[in-house]
Amino acid sequence: MDAAEMGELATLAGEIISKYLDTSCLEPVSSHILAAGKIKNPRQICINDRNIASTGDMKTPAVQDLIWSCEELDLSNNNLHLTSVPEILEHFPLLKVLNLCRNPLNGTEMMDKGFVASRLEVLVLNNCLLSWEGLFWLLQICPELKRLHLDSTTIDFAKPDQGISFPNIEVLHFSKNRLSPLVLKYLSHFFPNVKELYFMQNQSEEAWQVIDESIFTELEKLSLIDCSVCEWGEIESFGCLKSLKHLKLLNCPVLEGLDVNLRRQLVIARLPYLITLNGGETITRDARDKAERAFIRYYMEEENKPARYIELEALHGKLDKLIDLDLKPKKYVSVVIEYDNKSSVRRFSQDITVMGLKKKVAYYLH
């Protein structure tokens, strides 16, 4: 039974040896043998849920020989604190992806800012007890970071310092957090060059109504799934994001009770720069034209019309209501059967064959 199974605190070095190496021959490095079926220099190392609390002796030659080429490291659901992070990064020089979700990462003692993780591109910090100061320090030592995961975070963002931002971050995941107008403004300030934003199961408190041309000026892709978007005005505000090209909007209260095609048209008509919606096909000029006309007809008898209505009416002119015609092909036909001075009306499927019709008629006549 190992330390993790006994509930004792483990080390990263010890767990690497236990999982990836044959512990009977760690020295010399030239003769160490890997555990059965393991790759000599894995590009991905996954050691999660092992109660790891520190790095341990990472300078063991066999350990260093095994991990030097690792590019992705998953240490989720352990007991690591903030001070361990630079030690980990130092021993994995080629690391590009680091998953630290469900680790405490608390503490205020941080190492010298002179240390730099120059290759790290993806950092996952979901469900961590991380402070704003801790996050700020991590972002400073990872200048090449592109993708940041902050789902279910406890971070209380500080008031932005005009001189502090992280323009290297291009993708931000911020699901299962409470959004407010202030939080959105802070995120936009700290991450001014974000191109992709992912929100899921967020309570938004009408946060999106603060959107204007000064917020998320580089945003190209926005995902809102199971979020409390309750007003069309919030969606209409996305029209200020002129760089926004791709939107996912699913399971939001504002869309409830609407036909799938109609809700799609009402969203497309509101957002003139959109190229795709919910991962579907590219919105063609014809599809947009139909959506904008459907939007006009949907609101033409409403007393309080959206601001977008005036813009679209100026573009397409005043439209007439469409006549509600059922142009679906009929599936059944009525046939009058007359025989022996008797008459009856029967319904038959249009798909019935001649032979089938003869059999049916013969049945009715007898």
Side-chain angles (χ1 to χ4, degrees):
M1 183 177 293
D2 59 24
E5 291 172 335
M6 295 174 62
E8 299 176 2
L9 297 177
T11 66
L12 176 56
E15 293 302 318
I16 288 175
I17 291 172
S18 175
K19 182 172 182 178
Y20 290 93
L21 298 172
D22 181 343
T23 57
S24 65
C25 44
L26 295 178
E27 303 285 357
V29 66
S30 60
S31 64
H32 83 264
I33 302 173
L34 297 176
K38 301 303 180 183
I39 301 171
K40 182 178 181 181
N41 297 116
R43 293 188 178 277
Q44 297 177 326
I45 291 179
C46 178
I47 308 179
N48 48 36
D49 199 20
R50 304 303 296 171
N51 207 22
I52 297 171
S54 62
T55 55
D57 186 7
M58 297 293 291
K59 294 182 180 180
T60 302
V63 172
Q64 288 195 331
D65 186 51
L66 179 113
I67 68 173
W68 72 268
S69 62
C70 178
E71 296 181 355
E72 298 184 24
L73 179 61
D74 182 356
L75 297 177
S76 58
N77 203 25
N78 281 295
N79 197 30
L80 290 164
H81 294 263
L82 194 61
T83 51
S84 298
V85 177
E87 297 176 19
I88 294 168
L89 293 171
E90 185 177 4
H91 290 292
F92 289 82
L94 302 182
L95 199 63
K96 294 181 179 179
V97 180
L98 177 59
N99 183 356
L100 293 173
C101 71
R102 295 187 299 279
N103 279 277
L105 296 187
N106 50 14
T108 56
E109 295 180 3
M110 291 169 253
M111 292 184 65
D112 191 342
K113 295 187 179 76
F115 173 82
V116 174
S118 58
R119 291 180 179 267
L120 195 67
E121 296 178 357
V122 180
L123 182 59
V124 184
L125 300 173
N126 303 337
N127 291 93
C128 294
L129 303 177
L130 190 64
S131 66
W132 160 244
E133 291 78 13
L135 174 63
F136 174 68
W137 177 70
L138 285 175
L139 294 177
Q140 282 188 310
I141 67 172
C142 301
E144 299 303 318
L145 200 65
K146 303 298 182 188
R147 182 182 292 264
L148 178 63
H149 293 250
L150 291 176
D151 298 344
S152 300
T153 182
T154 58
I155 295 173
D156 183 12
F157 286 93
K159 184 177 181 180
D161 182 323
Q162 294 302 315
I164 299 175
S165 66
F166 302 96
N168 50 297
I169 302 296
E170 296 181 354
V171 181
L172 177 63
H173 293 254
F174 201 75
S175 296
K176 298 182 180 179
N177 292 308
R178 180 169 290 279
L179 286 177
S180 67
L182 196 58
V183 168
L184 272 182
K185 287 183 177 181
Y186 284 2
L187 291 176
S188 177
H189 174 86
F190 289 124
F191 310 113
N193 290 336
V194 161
K195 291 180 171 58
E196 299 180 22
L197 266 176
Y198 294 89
F199 297 99
M200 182 181 293
Q201 298 178 22
N202 293 74
Q203 298 299 316
S204 65
E205 302 175 359
E206 299 183 345
W208 298 104
Q209 293 191 6
V210 305
I211 293 291
D212 58 33
E213 294 181 354
S214 67
I215 290 181
F216 298 119
T217 57
E218 303 298 321
L219 187 63
E220 297 177 0
K221 186 174 184 178
L222 175 63
S223 182
L224 293 171
I225 301 175
D226 291 314
C227 293
S228 53
V229 179
C230 302
E231 303 291 338
W232 281 110
E234 294 179 87
I235 297 176
E236 205 157 308
S237 67
F238 300 154
C240 296
L241 305 174
K242 295 184 178 181
S243 59
L244 182 64
K245 300 294 186 293
H246 311 282
L247 174 66
K248 275 193 177 181
L249 190 68
L250 299 169
N251 302 331
C252 298
V254 70
L255 303 176
E256 292 177 358
L258 293 174
D259 171 81
V260 174
N261 186 55
L262 177 59
R263 73 172 65 163
R264 178 177 175 83
Q265 289 179 323
L266 294 181
V267 173
I268 290 174
R270 282 179 161 88
L271 304 176
Y273 307 108
L274 209 60
I275 292 177
T276 66
L277 176 61
N278 295 333
E281 296 179 353
T282 299
I283 301 169
T284 63
R285 179 62 260 178
D286 182 60
R288 176 167 294 282
D289 186 78
K290 289 179 179 178
E292 292 173 351
R293 291 175 180 274
F295 180 93
I296 293 173
R297 291 189 170 99
Y298 183 80
Y299 288 105
M300 64 172 38
E301 294 184 353
E302 295 289 329
E303 184 175 345
N304 297 318
K305 295 178 174 59
R308 181 69 173 149
Y309 179 91
I310 299 173
E311 298 173 6
L312 292 178
E313 191 176 60
L315 178 64
H316 296 284
K318 293 187 178 295
L319 304 180
D320 296 325
K321 288 191 66 175
L322 293 177
I323 300 174
D324 188 12
L325 293 176
D326 184 3
L327 301 177
K328 295 179 182 178
K330 293 182 179 181
K331 295 182 179 180
Y332 299 92
V333 293
S334 297
V335 177
V336 179
I337 301 174
E338 295 183 352
Y339 177 75
D340 197 18
N341 296 325
K342 295 179 181 179
S343 178
S344 64
V345 179
R346 300 289 181 178
R347 294 180 75 236
F348 297 99
S349 169
Q350 290 197 115
D351 297 328
I352 194 169
T353 63
V354 174
M355 182 60 70
L357 179 61
K358 287 181 178 181
K359 289 180 179 181
K360 291 279 188 181
V361 171
Y363 174 80
Y364 291 138
L365 296 180
H366 291 86

